[in-house]
Amino acid sequence: MGEEEKPVILVGMDDSEYSSHALERTLDRFFVPFGSNHPFKLIIIHAKPPVMSFMAMGPGGGNLLPVTDCYLKRTATSVLEKARELCRSRSVGNVHEVVIEGDARTVLCEAVDKYHASILVVGSHGYNAITRAVLGSVSDYCAHNADCSVMIIKKPRNKR
């Protein structure tokens, strides 16, 4: 089966340990057991927040735009480097990486359509209901709005 014919697994990554864990679990379950002949195409996507979403424009606020943009670009580079290293450590190659500017919920759901993903994988921060209601939940939004199966990976709590 050619790479273009394989079903697509799309993994949403941010700079959290939760998304790294979600990628690790995806690699271990869907790629590593098959060696170099894995049955899926892997796309890792990072949603880079728009600079303006971090800025409260007041006097002098415009001066912070370049600094904030630089920080967001460095974060995106770091996220993809981490993903690359996780893939390399498990001998998973031919991984496609994409950075798209926008709100993570929207970016991931639109990427599902654009890349014809069969599965979207996202990590769960494990927020309680009140925190999810206040902050919003990317995984919850995607579970209700993505046009594919959504796998939400929870990181196990440390056992005492």
Side-chain angles (χ1 to χ4, degrees):
M1 182 182 309
E3 190 68 20
E4 295 304 315
E5 300 166 0
K6 293 180 178 181
V8 173
I9 293 181
L10 189 110
V11 180
M13 291 282 299
D14 60 16
D15 59 346
S16 73
E17 63 184 294
Y18 306 100
S19 67
S20 294
H21 179 71
L23 176 59
E24 289 171 348
R25 290 285 302 270
T26 301
L27 295 171
D28 291 344
R29 300 288 189 265
F30 295 101
F31 292 87
V32 172
F34 300 99
S36 62
N37 193 26
H38 48 79
F40 298 99
K41 177 179 178 178
L42 178 60
I43 300 176
I44 296 171
I45 186 159
H46 173 71
K48 179 181 155 295
V51 175
M52 297 308 288
S53 67
F54 283 87
M55 304 301 299
M57 294 305 269
N63 295 335
L64 295 176
L65 287 174
V67 174
T68 304
D69 189 49
C70 183
Y71 168 76
L72 293 172
K73 286 178 182 174
R74 276 198 318 263
T75 299
T77 300
S78 173
V79 166
L80 294 182
E81 285 174 358
K82 169 93 176 179
R84 233 177 269 128
E85 179 53 38
L86 289 171
C87 292
R88 194 175 12 249
S89 72
R90 287 164 169 78
S91 301
V92 176
N94 203 15
V95 177
H96 305 274
E97 304 164 351
V98 181
V99 176
I100 300 175
E101 186 171 303
D103 177 72
R105 296 171 289 200
T106 307
V107 165
L108 292 173
C109 288
E110 289 176 356
V112 163
D113 294 335
K114 179 178 180 178
Y115 297 105
H116 309 288
S118 297
I119 301 172
L120 170 62
V121 179
V122 291
S124 172
H125 286 243
Y127 295 142
N128 63 35
I130 294 171
T131 306
R132 274 194 316 271
V134 172
L135 295 178
S137 167
V138 172
S139 59
D140 186 59
Y141 181 89
C142 290
H144 289 94
N145 293 285
D147 288 330
C148 71
S149 297
V150 177
M151 186 163 59
I152 301 170
I153 307 283
K154 290 178 70 174
K155 185 172 188 210
R157 292 189 176 131
N158 292 335
K159 295 183 180 179
R160 297 179 185 189

